[in-house]
Structures are given as C-alpha cells and as structure tokens.
Amino acid sequence: MVEQSLYPNYPKDLEMVITTNQVNFFYGLTQALFDISLLIPAKHVTALIGPSGCGKSTFLRCLNRMNDTIPHSRVEGEISINRKDIYAPGTDVVELRKEVGMVFQKSNPFPKSIFDNVAYGPRIHGEKNPKRLAEIVEQSLQQSAIWDEVKDRLHANAMGLSGGQQQRLCIARALAVGPKILLMDEPASALDPKSTTRIEDLIGELRTNYTIVIVTHNMQQAARVSDYTAFFYEGRLIECDATPKIFTNPRQKQTEDYITGRFG
Amino acid sequence: MSEKRDMSRSRKLFITDKLMRLLLVGAASTSVLVVCLIFLFLFREAGPFALNPGLGKLLDSQWIPVSFQEEHFGVGPLLAGSALVTALAMLVTVPISVLVSIYIAEIAHPTEREFLKPFIEILASIPSVVLGFFGLLVVAPLIKTTFGLSTGLTALTGALLLSLMAIPTIISLSEDALVSVPYALKNASLALGASHLQTIFRVTLPAALPGIVAAVMLGIGRVIGETMAVLMVTGNSAILTASPLSSVRTMTATIAAEMGEVPFGSVHYQALFWIGIILLVITFFLNIIAQRVLKKYGMMK
C-alpha cells in the first residue's frame, strides 16, 4: 500500500486516505506548487512545515477545494481522497467539504450564539430535529473540550468567548458536520501559550478518530503533535517522513538546514 | 544672534499653528451653528401659532388653509400623505435594493460590477425635477391605464418615483455593509459545506443587517424630505386616505406649493413652518437612529 522506496519509515500496513500525484497550483501566472506527490495516512496527524510562502497553506486548501473561491487559480495533477479524485468533473464540493473539515488560522465564529455556531453545519445539511441538533452540539463541544466552559451559556453570543475558546468552538463547529478528515491551518498561531497547549492536547485526543493535516510555523509544535511531517520549500515537497526521523535525521540537506534554524 | 532668529521663527510657527487651528475649528463649528440657527429660525417664525390659534389646531382633520368660512390647519392628512407615499416607496425600494446590493457585492463578476455601479450612481444624480417629468409623462399615464383611473397622479406614482431616488442610496450603503463582512466568515461557512447562496443568506446577510437597516433608515429620510417629484405627480389633494391609487398631498409638497402665495406672518404662514418643524424632527430622529445602529455594530469608522 505504501510505496516503500519513498516512505521507508512508514509502517507497511498504513492506510493512506489522501493521495496527491504531481499537483501543480497556479495563482494566475504564478506557480505556487510544483509536482507535489504526497500520501497522508488515515487517523494520524500529518504536519506540513516550511518557511512562509512555501505553499503549505495553499496545498492544504487544495485538499477541500477552498482554493476554488480564488479567481484565476488553477490546479493540475491528481488529488484523491478515499480513492476518489476530488477534482474530477461532477464532484460534489458540498459532500467533499462535509468529509473534509477545516479550521482556520484566525478563529472565525459567526456572530451568532454558541449553539447556533455549532448547529450551523448540520442545519445547512438539512438537520431540523431540535433534539438531534442539541445532541450533535453537545457531542461536538465535548469532543473539542469546551463543553464544560460553555454548557451554561449556549445561547450567549460566541463573540464573547476568549480567543482560545473561540478556536475550540470553531473546531467543534467543524466536527459537527461529521468529517473524517480535519485540515488545520496554523490553528494556534494567534493564541497565547496556554490556549496553544489546550489546542495541542485536543489534537492529541482527536487523532484516534480523525485524520488530521496541520500546517504550522512552529517546529516544536509539529514535533509535539504530529506522527508524520512533510517539509515544503519554495512550492516543492522536499521530504516527508515519520516526525522523529525528520527532526533527528532528515535525508535532505535543506530539511536539516530548516529544522536546525539555518534559514526560515 | 542665531538663537534669537530661531526664537522668532519658532514663535512665528507657533502663531500660524494657532491661527490655522482656529480657522479649522471655526469651519468645523459652522455646521453645528447652522443647524442650531435653523431650529431657532423655524421656531421663531412658527412660534406665535402656538398661542393663537393654539397648537391644537394642527390636530384638525382637514387642511383648508384658505377659506371664507373657517380655515383648517390639520396636519393629519399631510402627514398621512407623506407616510403613505414613503411606506409605498419603501415597499418597492427595500426588496429591490437589498437584492441588487447582494448581487453586486457577492455574485456579480468584477466586470459586471464595474458596469453596473456607474449606472446606479447616475441614477442617484438625476435631479428630482427631471424625474418628475419622467413621472408625469411616463409613469402617471401608465398607472392611469393600468388601473383604469381618471387620473394617474396618485400616491403610487409618487412612491415609484421616490423609490427611483432612494434605490441608489440604499444600494450603495447596503453594498458597503455586505462587502465589509469579513472574508473569514464566508470562508468558514463555505468550508462547512455551505453553498454560495446559503452562505450569503445565512452568514453574510445577517452579519451585514445592521448596516442595511441603517441604509434603509437613511433612504426613508431622503424619501420623506423629497419635494419636487412628489409635488409634480401625487395630485396634491389633501385627503386622509390609505389608498395607493388616490391622490395625496405630502408635507413637503404643501410647503413648496403654498409658501409662495401665503401672506408673510399670517396664521397660514406659521402653520407651514410647523409642518417644516415636524418634518425636520422626523428626519432628525431617523438619522439619529441610523447612526446609532451603525455605531452599535461598529460599522461606522
């Protein structure tokens, strides 16, 4: 299942949920991604690291087709999730995004109540039963470790929460749709150290049930939370391996230079 | 020597600075002064009416300012006329402007937007007398034949013209409100699997609602205060009615039509000033409410 020549340190029976094959991405005439071929294992945390502008966020946004909203952008190559090409004509983007949730760098709760924030996803997908909605909301808030803090004020405006709470609420909102994969774009970069720790702990808890792809600037964070790490540089995938291997004994010189802080 | 020169230079700078400041403060306070003076002037001209024949006269049910028997200065029919025309105008204006602003802000292709926006701005710049011509020659006959009336000069005709005037104002302000909804919110909705339209109606529109409400308030303010077009096409009969197809007379049209012929300082003259005061108070409050709404939701810089 795993191409052992490319991924010598991956366990043989690892199931790959996302596979990308020679992906190029263009913003107008500017090419942002070059030939990215990457396998992402199910129910593990994969970190995408690299200096600013290396294309890691662009790549992440290709995985749920959020780049579709950018005018004059173009994707080449193949991205498959569960063996289905997500850029094939006729792909239902709504279904894709139900399957692949996303958490953004800056927490972005809707200016609605906490309950309505979490219930937003299920509601747009047709869930009307109030009892069922309440169950989903509670379950999602439990999963994102914020239930105890907000259970007494579910109908208060979400904008009144702290930054860290808002980000966990956004994770709950993403989970409420029932995704299998969670994309996180620097989810803790705007948070204080304490809130960051909570988010990292949360990622640790979620990894048993979800496939998580996390973009991070913070190499210690990548080392702490991820099982596998992919290093991007100038729009290219330089190296991808088990996280301990990348941080102790990378194969590529560029990776080593980056993680030892020689550039970036 | 040189120290002395420096001193005088800095002193000169200090003085120009002061003068400049004074000038600017003066210019800025002019507007405040003007508003105060207008209020003062209105009340001075209208004042005596309150004692003789007394403000109760304004509550009469009829407006018959010139008569051989008894004159009536009831503002009711005029207020009702203004309210009817304004309400009808808003009924037409609000849905159209909100939908157009959604289209321009969220759906239209950039080139379409560049094409549409100048036209809307031109619409805003048409003088109301010119719109009045259009109303007399096109809208009024159309209404007359459509509804089989004896005259096309009705409240509805006025309302249609007024909505032409209010639509551009409300569109541009609502569009600003929609565009200023953070991209992060729209992205969050899309990432949850919402379609473009679901995102617009469930996230963008609610988030922009305070701005849109304020835009509508300002639009109402403009419509109530508008004179020329309504004077030309509403038929100018001061009847207390709720029928869109009846002729009405608004407060503004009354002032414009009668001010030129009224004896200076007469009771009729003072009554017209009371109408002006009522009008001013209404638009004043509409503006204050709009500003409050904008401020409360942090949409005003």
Side-chain angles (χ1 to χ4, degrees):
Chain A
M1 241 183 296
V2 182
E3 290 171 58
Q4 288 297 322
S5 59
L6 279 170
Y7 301 87
N9 300 304
Y10 280 37
K12 280 198 187 61
D13 55 350
L14 206 54
E15 184 201 345
M16 295 300 182
V17 61
I18 303 174
T19 60
T20 76
N21 192 11
Q22 296 188 315
V23 171
N24 293 314
F25 185 82
F26 302 84
Y27 291 109
L29 294 172
T30 321
Q31 188 165 2
L33 294 176
F34 299 84
D35 266 345
I36 309 286
S37 298
L38 179 65
L39 303 178
I40 292 172
K43 298 195 176 173
H44 284 84
V45 180
T46 302
L48 311 181
I49 61 168
S52 301
C54 68
K56 54 195 190 305
S57 285
T58 302
F59 177 73
L60 190 77
R61 291 165 57 93
C62 283
L63 301 180
N64 65 345
R65 292 189 54 171
M66 277 303 278
N67 284 333
D68 288 15
T69 56
I70 300 169
H72 310 296
S73 65
R74 185 160 56 88
V75 184
E76 283 174 1
E78 197 188 307
I79 301 177
S80 296
I81 291 180
N82 291 324
R83 298 200 179 71
K84 274 212 319 252
D85 182 355
I86 60 166
Y87 282 90
T91 302
D92 186 353
V93 180
V94 168
E95 280 304 312
L96 170 71
R97 290 179 186 156
K98 263 171 85 175
E99 194 89 340
V100 186
M102 188 166 210
V103 176
F104 296 83
Q105 176 172 7
K106 227 181 119 235
S107 58
N108 51 3
F110 300 128
K112 302 170 187 267
S113 72
I114 294 169
F115 185 94
D116 287 341
N117 260 279
V118 183
Y120 180 85
R123 276 187 183 138
I124 56 171
H125 296 302
E127 183 61 63
K128 287 200 183 76
N129 183 344
K131 223 178 120 209
R132 181 83 194 99
L133 278 174
E135 277 169 26
I136 297 175
V137 169
E138 174 169 353
Q139 198 186 353
S140 310
L141 289 168
Q142 296 263 19
Q143 270 189 304
S144 52
I146 190 179
W147 172 251
D148 291 332
E149 290 157 64
V150 300
K151 65 179 175 209
D152 300 325
R153 46 170 173 156
L154 286 178
H155 295 283
N157 196 310
M159 307 308 273
L161 298 172
S162 74
Q165 289 174 326
Q166 286 190 5
Q167 192 61 302
R168 275 179 284 144
L169 176 68
C170 290
I171 295 175
R173 185 176 64 185
L175 296 179
V177 184
K180 302 276 187 314
I181 299 166
L182 213 48
L183 308 177
M184 297 182 154
D185 192 353
E186 304 196 36
S189 68
L191 301 179
D192 60 274
K194 208 170 152 219
S195 306
T196 303
T197 311
R198 298 213 61 167
I199 299 279
E200 288 180 8
D201 291 347
L202 176 57
I203 293 172
E205 286 161 30
L206 293 174
R207 61 146 50 93
T208 46
N209 292 314
Y210 298 91
T211 302
I212 295 174
V213 187
I214 176 172
V215 163
T216 175
H217 248 95
N218 179 333
M219 279 180 284
Q220 284 74 30
Q221 185 172 70
R224 282 191 299 263
V225 303
S226 72
D227 305 299
Y228 299 93
T229 298
F231 173 59
F232 281 68
Y233 184 60
E234 295 188 336
R236 288 170 210 280
L237 174 63
I238 305 299
E239 186 171 353
C240 177
D241 214 327
T243 300
K245 181 87 170 73
I246 287 268
F247 282 93
T248 53
N249 188 17
R251 280 167 289 160
Q252 304 292 332
K253 177 89 174 44
Q254 278 165 315
T255 316
E256 190 183 339
D257 288 350
Y258 180 70
I259 58 156
T260 53
R262 220 161 289 167
F263 73 92
Chain B
M1 181 70 184
S2 88
E3 207 172 74
K4 203 174 168 192
R5 202 189 299 149
D6 273 3
M7 277 287 285
S8 79
R9 230 190 107 199
S10 79
R11 203 177 150 67
K12 220 187 223 163
L13 264 179
F14 180 75
I15 290 175
T16 32
D17 223 57
K18 276 272 175 209
L19 278 176
M20 221 37 216
R21 209 186 130 74
L22 219 64
L23 190 75
L24 293 175
V25 167
S29 31
T30 312
S31 57
V32 179
L33 196 69
V34 167
V35 171
C36 292
L37 282 178
I38 286 179
F39 264 98
L40 208 73
F41 158 79
L42 277 178
F43 276 105
R44 205 196 62 186
E45 294 300 314
F49 190 93
L51 302 171
N52 175 40
L55 280 183
K57 269 294 229 185
L58 293 174
L59 302 176
D60 247 340
S61 61
Q62 283 174 301
W63 176 263
I64 307 173
V66 183
S67 163
F68 291 114
Q69 289 104 36
E70 199 197 347
E71 288 142 357
H72 292 277
F73 297 105
V75 186
L78 311 179
L79 204 62
S82 278
L84 178 63
V85 173
T86 306
L88 284 174
M90 283 301 129
L91 225 55
V92 179
T93 307
V94 173
I96 294 182
S97 346
V98 171
L99 289 177
V100 172
S101 62
I102 288 175
Y103 184 74
I104 292 182
E106 298 292 320
I107 300 171
H109 194 268
T111 47
E112 273 178 294
R113 196 173 309 157
E114 293 313 305
F115 178 79
L116 277 170
K117 284 187 76 171
F119 277 94
I120 290 165
E121 275 146 29
I122 289 172
L123 193 57
S125 67
I126 296 176
S128 59
V129 188
V130 176
L131 273 177
F133 280 143
F134 172 70
L136 276 180
L137 294 176
V138 181
V139 185
L142 198 72
I143 293 210
K144 187 179 163 185
T145 47
T146 314
F147 295 101
L149 304 172
S150 56
T151 169
L153 303 178
T154 64
L156 182 64
T157 322
L160 289 177
L161 284 196
L162 286 176
S163 44
L164 278 183
M165 277 176 236
I167 280 174
T169 318
I170 301 185
I171 288 179
S172 3
L173 289 170
S174 310
E175 192 214 335
D176 284 349
L178 287 166
V179 168
S180 63
V181 173
Y183 227 82
L185 287 186
K186 302 175 195 171
N187 270 342
S189 170
L190 291 173
L192 288 167
S195 68
H196 192 48
L197 278 181
Q198 279 174 324
T199 302
I200 289 172
F201 284 105
R202 293 183 184 225
V203 173
T204 316
L205 198 58
L209 203 58
I212 293 175
V213 168
V216 171
M217 296 290 225
L218 293 174
I220 294 179
R222 165 135 205 233
V223 163
I224 285 191
E226 171 50 41
T227 309
M228 219 45 232
V230 278
L231 178 65
M232 287 165 84
V233 302
T234 53
N236 290 322
S237 51
I239 329 167
L240 198 56
T241 176
S243 160
L245 297 179
S246 135
S247 289
V248 292
R249 164 178 260 199
T250 65
M251 296 193 283
T252 49
T254 306
I255 298 177
E258 295 176 8
M259 202 64 204
E261 295 153 19
V262 71
F264 184 83
S266 67
V267 175
H268 184 191
Y269 172 90
Q270 290 164 15
L272 290 180
F273 271 88
W274 274 108
I275 299 178
I277 290 174
I278 294 169
L279 206 54
L280 187 64
V281 168
I282 293 174
T283 48
F284 188 71
F285 277 105
L286 280 173
N287 267 304
I288 285 182
I289 294 170
Q291 305 273 353
R292 279 275 165 85
V293 173
L294 280 175
K295 213 178 231 164
K296 187 171 171 199
Y297 293 91
M299 294 183 111
M300 216 162 56
K301 273 98 206 170

